[in-house]
Amino acid sequence: MRLTRLFGKTQREDPADAETASHRLMMKAGLIAPLAAGLYSILPMGWRAIQNLERVIREEMDQAGGQELRMPVLQPLEIWEESGRRAGFGKGMFALQDRRGRDMVLAPTHEEVIVYLVRQHVSSYRDLPQMLYQIQSKFRDEPRPRAGLLRVREFDMKDLYSFDADEEGMEVSYKRMLEAYRNIFSRCGLPSLQVEADSGAIGGKDSHEFILPAESGEDQVLRCSSCGYAANRERARSVKPVLSQAEGSDAAATGALPLEPVDTPGLKTIEELSQFLGISKQQTIKAVFYNIDGEVVFVAIRGDLEVNEVKLQNLLGAKELRLASDQEVQAVGLVAGSASPVGLAGRVKIVADDSVTMGSNFVVGANEPDVHLRNANYPRDFQADLLADIANAEEGHGCPTCGNPLDMTRGIEVGHVFKFGTSMSEKLGAYYLDREGVQHPVAMGSYGIGVGRLLAAAVEQNHDDKGIIWPAPIAPYQVHMVALGNSPEVTAEADRLYEELQQAGLQVLYDDREESAGVKFNDADLLGMPVRMTVSARNLKNGQVELKARASEEATTVPLAEAVTAVRGMLGGG
């Protein structure tokens, strides 16, 4: 492609609303163009990279036994009500009515539709297993679209669904997909982490995410360098630190002490309380108030830990969860800043993190202003309606598998896989007959990759202060050829090399514009193709061209006759 013919132009200035490196660079490089909040057109340069990603994805899906099909974006609302998942998506689902007044939705995902298809076409064990996939548009009404293609309202997703006769077969399909996903990211030149994950609104039994490490990523991953345990922070478990005697507790020596009130004038936070009393935050229990499906819930957790709202919501099977307002807290008779579960049994629902059992003689609120209690112990002084792990795992906590310290890294979720088991099939009536004629529900798995998000994550993971650094397998073009000067000699040789490289099967972006060397080199760095070839009068006098890898600071010259071979070598093609 000649740059003079390419649709979409590079920009000199950073976009004013760009929040992340990928957003900024993809806009500057002319890969995407905004239409409205969370809605982007993919321009030709970006679309070529998308097609490269999709090619690898399709090859791995086919290799794993997948069959590609296509399902409608427009779906009847009733199938979502039948599956019971309508409420889980809440306001994120685009809903509308057709001209006959029937309620419809724009697909946020396609599990319901694919199960309807399987219900129509699978009746016997002979029809199983099946793996069916598509690359299709999805719609989710994100409350805060941001960061270019990383969080949008319309996006393309590869979604594959596996169907097996039983859970053992589903496990085989699941492992096959995990391997296929690892292959996809490896082939695309994108190092990824496979981590345990929460299923969220999609539902299902177990799930894993694939995370591309990037400092700008929204996801936090806890991982153990010793045993390989890795999990998204929403899901991560850990061995919580236990307060030692050296940190101010003599409980191990003295046992549970009597409750004792202590004046704490004006103290509202755990930080203030621990400093005033000269104790560790681990020796306190804090109160957090939530409105969960319209009910105020009292959450008790050790003062050095934070509530994991995903764990809490999953524990309660809640549809909506938010922090309670001051008015809601006051309405149930709680005293913000001095509240504790002591004496509240039966007055409000109490959920406690299991950290309240990891220690003794805690300082807690006295449920009256400016007073706290020393030496509160579970279960002597307070009980909980539910006791479970609802705390965030933190860097430095012990690994739940081997006990060694966990590390934390940030990243971007680019793939998510789920085990549904038979839950969806039972709700939607997808059954088959076994050899004896006995009816069973089909076991199902679901496997997604956000293609546009993967493109943006690739840029987040591969860039410098000059621009994008494309991994060769997904680059829009393999070679960026720059012709310097407008002399007939340079133009003729650049045109000849352009044809020679293309005839050799290489994909070439040819900068034939009448621009200065500085502008052309800056755009080459911004666009980030793996190899830059420079054709100039000075090098042509020596029968050479200059080659430079985008990821390298050093350039080299090679004879014209060896240019194609040298480029292939730089691309890893021998």
Side-chain angles (χ1 to χ4, degrees), residues 222 233 238 304-306 392-398 406-408:
L222 279 300
R233 196 180 190 191
S238 68
D304 61 310
L305 302 172
E306 299 296 331
N392 276 332
E394 301 287 353
E395 188 168 30
H397 284 192
L406 293 170
D407 298 319
M408 183 178 289

Side-chain angles (χ1 to χ4, degrees), residues 201-442:
I202 297 294
K205 300 174 64 177
D206 297 316
S207 72
H208 288 84
E209 288 175 344
F210 285 82
I211 302 288
L212 260 59
E215 286 300 318
S216 61
E218 292 182 336
D219 288 86
Q220 295 176 313
V221 174
L222 279 300
R223 56 178 175 171
C224 177
S225 58
S226 298
C227 70
Y229 171 81
N232 192 302
R233 196 180 190 191
E234 294 178 344
R235 166 89 176 207
R237 297 166 287 118
S238 68
V239 179
K240 298 163 185 172
V242 177
L243 187 68
S244 68
Q245 290 184 0
E247 293 173 295
S249 171
D250 59 357
T254 62
L257 299 173
L259 275 176
E260 174 188 334
V262 56
D263 290 333
T264 52
L267 303 182
K268 299 292 186 182
T269 69
I270 292 296
E271 187 71 36
E272 293 171 342
L273 184 66
S274 62
Q275 289 181 3
F276 180 75
L277 297 177
I279 60 174
S280 166
K281 288 191 289 186
Q282 289 182 355
Q283 198 61 44
T284 68
I285 292 177
K286 65 183 171 185
V288 188
F289 312 115
Y290 285 96
N291 183 308
I292 300 178
D293 291 340
E295 176 187 6
V296 174
V297 175
F298 187 114
V299 175
I301 188 169
R302 210 170 65 188
D304 61 310
L305 302 172
E306 299 296 331
V307 176
N308 183 313
E309 295 183 353
V310 173
K311 290 182 181 179
L312 177 61
Q313 188 166 3
N314 289 342
L315 175 68
L316 296 173
K319 296 175 182 176
E320 293 187 0
L321 177 150
R322 62 172 172 80
L323 289 170
S325 67
D326 291 343
Q327 293 79 6
E328 290 169 334
V329 171
Q330 293 169 5
V332 294
L334 298 173
V335 182
S338 294
S340 81
V342 176
L344 292 186
R347 290 176 52 189
V348 64
K349 187 169 190 174
I350 299 172
V351 179
D353 180 64
D354 58 10
S355 60
V356 303
T357 69
M358 300 172 186
S360 58
N361 299 326
F362 291 103
V363 174
V364 301
N367 292 315
E368 60 180 279
D370 301 325
V371 181
H372 282 74
L373 298 173
R374 292 183 184 268
N375 308 321
N377 289 272
Y378 184 90
R380 184 193 70 180
D381 301 308
F382 65 95
Q383 293 81 42
D385 298 294
L386 289 171
L387 180 70
D389 171 25
I390 54 168
N392 276 332
E394 301 287 353
E395 188 168 30
H397 284 192
C399 171
T401 302
C402 71
N404 284 299
L406 293 170
D407 298 319
M408 183 178 289
T409 188
R410 300 190 72 88
I412 301 167
E413 176 199 340
V414 291
H416 206 159
V417 298
F418 307 84
K419 294 178 187 175
F420 273 104
T422 59
S423 60
M424 185 74 73
S425 301
E426 290 169 350
K427 291 175 182 176
L428 297 179
Y431 291 85
Y432 74 96
L433 298 177
D434 66 14
R435 292 176 184 272
E436 284 71 42
V438 178
Q439 192 177 65
H440 303 276
V442 178

Side-chain angles (χ1 to χ4, degrees), residues 507-558:
Q507 298 161 8
V508 187
L509 181 64
Y510 174 17
D511 192 344
D512 59 340
R513 298 174 301 171
E514 294 183 4
E515 293 284 1
S516 68
V519 168
K520 290 189 174 187
F521 286 150
N522 285 341
D523 278 350
D525 285 337
L526 172 61
L527 295 172
M529 306 312 158
V531 177
R532 188 187 78 197
M533 175 183 288
T534 303
V535 183
S536 67
R538 184 178 63 181
N539 284 327
L540 288 180
K541 287 180 181 178
N542 299 317
Q544 298 175 326
V545 292
E546 181 186 88
L547 297 179
K548 178 183 175 296
R550 173 63 180 87
S552 173
E553 294 296 324
E554 301 297 324
T556 186
T557 56
V558 300

